[in-house]
Amino acid sequence: MRKTFTLTILSILLSSTFIFAQSKVTRYCEVIAEANSSRTLDEKVILKIVLGKNEGYFSFRDTSIVKQLKKVNELNTTTDLINYMSTNGWEIMNMIPSTAPVSRRNYYFKREFDKSDFQ
């Protein structure tokens, strides 16, 4: 009897973990950081967030999420960018540098959301 009860509890825990794991969605975004050729990227830069062309990927019930992301365009340094994105739950995945004709870096971020966060 005790063995049956233990197996039942274990199967409930495993199945609920599987169900909750299936309700997560990962979203990615890119931030382009550019400085003119006379500056380095450690100084003031121009930041531009890229969410992609398919707006459906970012159709959240809470519209403040996209508004927060667009505030990236107002930041001035890459350090501010990384701290801001981290504060809002985004994890940096990669950074790809380029030097010509302007000093440029592409930053890639990801974040997990619940499926219920989307419209």
Side-chain angles (χ1 to χ4, degrees), residues 4-20:
T4 305
F5 178 73
T6 303
L7 287 174
T8 303
I9 295 297
L10 183 61
S11 66
I12 290 171
L13 288 174
L14 289 174
S15 65
S16 65
T17 301
F18 179 75
I19 290 169
F20 287 117

Side-chain angles (χ1 to χ4, degrees), residues 3-107:
K3 192 175 193 178
T4 305
F5 178 73
T6 303
L7 287 174
T8 303
I9 295 297
L10 183 61
S11 66
I12 290 171
L13 288 174
L14 289 174
S15 65
S16 65
T17 301
F18 179 75
I19 290 169
F20 287 117
Q22 296 298 316
S23 64
K24 296 289 184 182
V25 177
T26 304
R27 288 292 176 251
Y28 304 88
C29 68
E30 173 185 19
V31 178
I32 300 168
E34 286 188 355
N36 66 29
S37 58
S38 66
R39 293 185 176 163
T40 67
L41 282 167
D42 297 329
E43 299 176 14
K44 187 175 179 177
V45 296
I46 298 168
L47 297 170
K48 180 182 177 192
I49 188 134
V50 180
L51 301 178
K53 292 185 179 182
N54 187 339
E55 294 177 8
Y57 292 134
F58 286 89
S59 60
F60 296 101
R61 291 182 191 276
D62 180 3
T63 57
S64 68
I65 295 172
V66 173
K67 288 178 186 174
Q68 286 175 346
L69 287 172
K70 290 185 178 181
K71 286 183 181 179
V72 162
N73 298 332
E74 301 168 14
L75 301 175
N76 294 315
T77 67
T78 54
T79 304
D80 289 342
L81 163 69
I82 294 168
N83 286 326
Y84 180 79
M85 294 297 280
S86 175
T87 299
N88 286 295
W90 292 83
E91 178 184 343
I92 190 165
M93 294 178 44
N94 199 1
M95 185 277 298
I96 300 174
S98 134
T99 53
V102 294
S103 187
R104 175 181 171 160
R105 291 182 188 157
N106 293 51
Y107 293 86

Side-chain angles (χ1 to χ4, degrees), residues 103-118:
S103 187
R104 175 181 171 160
R105 291 182 188 157
N106 293 51
Y107 293 86
Y108 296 91
F109 295 89
K110 75 175 183 176
R111 180 177 167 187
E112 278 194 353
F113 295 93
D114 289 329
K115 282 186 179 180
S116 62
D117 291 336
F118 296 91

